[in-house]
Amino acid sequence: MRYKVKFDDHETYFFKLFSSIEKRLRGSCQKCMFPGCGGNAIGSHSQQDNGQLREIAEDQHVIALRRGVCPAPRQSISSHDIGMRPKKISIHKATVFKGFCNFHDTQLFLPIDTKPLVVDDIKQVYALHLRATSFELWSKRLVVGVLNTALQESHRDLGIIREMARIHGKFFKADIRYLWTPLWTESPEDMLRWKWSVLDKNIGVSLTSCINPLDDISFPVYMESYYDRSCDEYTHSRPSFSLTILPVGDKTHVILCWNKTDEMTVRPWVERMSSSKDMEKLLNECIFCKSEDFCMSPRLWDSLSDPDKERIVDNLNQHCSDDVPNIIRL
């Protein structure tokens, strides 16, 4: 099999080190992400197990990835594929992250967890965007934590890891300042722009994710343009838009939301929501090429051909979108 490769001792060492650190950090006590709250975070869901996941589940299970930090740093030190594959996971275990304490997790997401969806409702738009951004920032913080802990605990040559930790740390600092902090102003909706569409079918896929609108070539060029050498920091967050896909009955809500400061980079993606054909391409690319956060109906997964399944796996392992699978059809 292509994904069963033999790693050398150096690669195996780093893989085990990252895996061990990540497991430890995930299991550690973490504080609520609500600014100023000192409470302990609970196991929040980026996708509600009794909401959108139940709409596509079979026997309370969905097809999803066990998202982890290890693949990202590992790809920078190895040319081998890492073997991520979608698996059947309980809806109660899928998409869990330690985001907020029980009180804030309940209060912040009341508009979407306890009320029917209403197209363009600003409170629901904000809650959906906040949930996706919270999950993304939590994941990026975990990456930084794993890298910095590896630097402290390993005695091997960590030149590449040290550089990764430095860059990811600066990116994360900018994300907090320019993406996260503005979400907690008195009128955060003033900075948001969005496009909400409703599809006349349940597409069998659920998603809560932040998507990078740039490719691997344009992204570093874009970030370099915002690098201030005088203070050694970035003056803009990594560009992104949140994409929420919510199956409800025989409908699917698709909400794309972004910070107005990212208008120029996100606008081409928004325009792709104007027709069914373009929307179809948008969903397939975002879900299967630019995100690791999708959950899929087991029935839909089982209906796919082996080549389509391998296309999904290839994109997950290579983080590319050269061969977009045509899974979602409108």
Side-chain angles (χ1 to χ4, degrees), residues 216-230:
D216 291 342
I217 297 176
S218 57
F219 172 75
V221 176
Y222 178 89
M223 292 306 298
E224 181 65 22
S225 70
Y226 286 99
Y227 180 61
D228 187 342
R229 285 176 172 76
S230 64

Side-chain angles (χ1 to χ4, degrees), residues 9 24 30 62 87 90 192 194 236-237 241 244 254 263 267 272 293 312 320:
D9 291 340
R24 191 194 326 156
Q30 300 176 35
V62 293
K87 299 178 180 179
S90 165
L192 298 181
W194 68 91
H236 196 288
S237 60
F241 59 85
T244 303
V254 179
E263 179 71 23
R267 177 54 56 182
R272 293 171 64 182
D293 305 322
I312 293 175
C320 68

Side-chain angles (χ1 to χ4, degrees), residues 211-218 269 272 281-291 311-326:
I211 306 294
N212 184 346
L214 302 178
D215 58 32
D216 291 342
I217 297 176
S218 57
W269 293 83
R272 293 171 64 182
K281 293 179 180 178
L282 168 75
L283 293 177
N284 281 303
E285 183 172 355
C286 287
I287 294 170
F288 302 113
C289 300
K290 296 182 76 69
S291 175
R311 287 189 186 95
I312 293 175
V313 173
D314 283 344
N315 286 325
L316 289 170
N317 285 291
Q318 298 172 20
H319 291 272
C320 68
S321 55
D322 294 334
D323 185 16
V324 180
N326 188 25

Side-chain angles (χ1 to χ4, degrees), residues 197 272-273 275-283 330:
S197 298
R272 293 171 64 182
M273 299 177 69
S275 70
S276 294
K277 183 178 180 180
D278 288 338
M279 172 74 86
E280 184 177 285
K281 293 179 180 178
L282 168 75
L283 293 177
L330 303 181

Side-chain angles (χ1 to χ4, degrees), residues 143-171:
V143 170
V144 174
V146 169
L147 293 173
N148 285 329
T149 303
L151 289 176
Q152 296 170 5
E153 297 184 359
S154 176
H155 300 293
R156 291 201 182 190
D157 179 14
L158 295 173
I160 296 177
I161 308 304
R162 185 173 292 103
E163 179 63 12
M164 290 177 61
R166 186 187 70 81
I167 294 175
H168 278 275
K170 292 184 184 299
F171 282 160

Side-chain angles (χ1 to χ4, degrees), residues 55-58 61-64 86 88 201-207 245 247 252 283-284 287-288 294-306 308-310 312 325-330:
E55 293 284 345
I56 62 172
E58 296 176 21
H61 283 74
V62 293
I63 301 297
K88 186 173 288 189
K201 65 180 295 185
N202 185 323
I203 65 173
V205 175
S206 171
L207 182 76
I245 300 175
T252 301
L283 293 177
N284 281 303
I287 294 170
F288 302 113
F294 67 85
C295 292
M296 181 187 295
S297 160
R299 183 178 291 109
L300 175 59
W301 175 257
D302 291 341
S303 72
L304 301 181
S305 66
D306 288 339
D308 277 340
K309 290 180 180 178
E310 289 307 312
I312 293 175
N326 188 25
I327 307 302
I328 307 301
R329 300 179 182 180
L330 303 181

Side-chain angles (χ1 to χ4, degrees), residues 32-285:
C32 175
M33 296 177 69
F34 187 91
C37 180
N40 293 331
I42 62 170
S44 305
H45 284 265
S46 64
Q47 301 176 47
Q48 278 300 99
D49 53 346
N50 287 318
Q52 61 203 97
L53 294 187
R54 190 172 293 278
E55 293 284 345
I56 62 172
E58 296 176 21
D59 296 325
Q60 298 192 38
H61 283 74
V62 293
I63 301 297
L65 289 173
R66 296 189 183 276
R67 183 176 180 178
V69 168
C70 294
R74 183 165 168 67
Q75 282 193 324
S76 296
I77 61 174
S78 171
S79 60
H80 296 300
D81 288 334
I82 54 178
M84 287 194 299
R85 299 188 76 91
K87 299 178 180 179
K88 186 173 288 189
I89 301 175
S90 165
I91 60 174
H92 304 302
K93 295 182 179 180
T95 78
V96 175
F97 72 108
K98 292 184 178 180
F100 298 95
C101 66
N102 185 62
F103 174 79
H104 285 120
D105 187 67
T106 301
Q107 293 299 312
L108 289 170
F109 303 114
L110 275 176
I112 53 177
D113 288 346
T114 63
K115 300 178 181 179
L117 293 175
V118 178
V119 175
D120 291 334
D121 182 285
I122 184 57
K123 291 185 178 179
Q124 292 187 335
V125 169
Y126 172 75
L128 292 168
H129 183 68
L130 178 64
R131 177 166 275 166
T133 306
S134 301
F135 180 50
E136 184 71 12
L137 267 293
W138 178 87
S139 300
K140 289 177 176 176
R141 183 181 64 186
L142 185 59
V143 170
V144 174
V146 169
L147 293 173
N148 285 329
T149 303
L151 289 176
Q152 296 170 5
E153 297 184 359
S154 176
H155 300 293
R156 291 201 182 190
D157 179 14
L158 295 173
I160 296 177
I161 308 304
R162 185 173 292 103
E163 179 63 12
M164 290 177 61
R166 186 187 70 81
I167 294 175
H168 278 275
K170 292 184 184 299
F171 282 160
F172 184 71
K173 182 179 179 181
D175 290 339
I176 292 296
R177 183 173 182 179
Y178 300 106
L179 178 64
W180 181 250
T181 300
L183 288 175
W184 305 100
T185 60
E186 290 186 3
S187 302
E189 62 274 9
D190 292 343
M191 58 169 276
L192 298 181
R193 302 290 183 268
W194 68 91
K195 177 72 174 178
W196 189 320
S197 298
V198 182
L199 307 179
D200 288 326
K201 65 180 295 185
N202 185 323
I203 65 173
V205 175
S206 171
L207 182 76
T208 296
S209 186
C210 283
I211 306 294
N212 184 346
L214 302 178
D215 58 32
D216 291 342
I217 297 176
S218 57
F219 172 75
V221 176
Y222 178 89
M223 292 306 298
E224 181 65 22
S225 70
Y226 286 99
Y227 180 61
D228 187 342
R229 285 176 172 76
S230 64
C231 55
D232 190 28
E233 63 182 31
Y234 292 95
T235 59
H236 196 288
S237 60
R238 282 170 278 195
S240 69
F241 59 85
S242 67
L243 181 61
T244 303
I245 300 175
L246 279 158
V248 181
D250 60 354
K251 307 285 185 181
T252 301
H253 292 254
V254 179
I255 305 95
L256 194 156
C257 183
W258 66 98
N259 188 315
K260 64 181 182 181
T261 61
D262 286 328
E263 179 71 23
M264 293 300 293
T265 57
V266 176
R267 177 54 56 182
W269 293 83
V270 180
E271 293 174 352
R272 293 171 64 182
M273 299 177 69
S274 59
S275 70
S276 294
K277 183 178 180 180
D278 288 338
M279 172 74 86
E280 184 177 285
K281 293 179 180 178
L282 168 75
L283 293 177
N284 281 303
E285 183 172 355

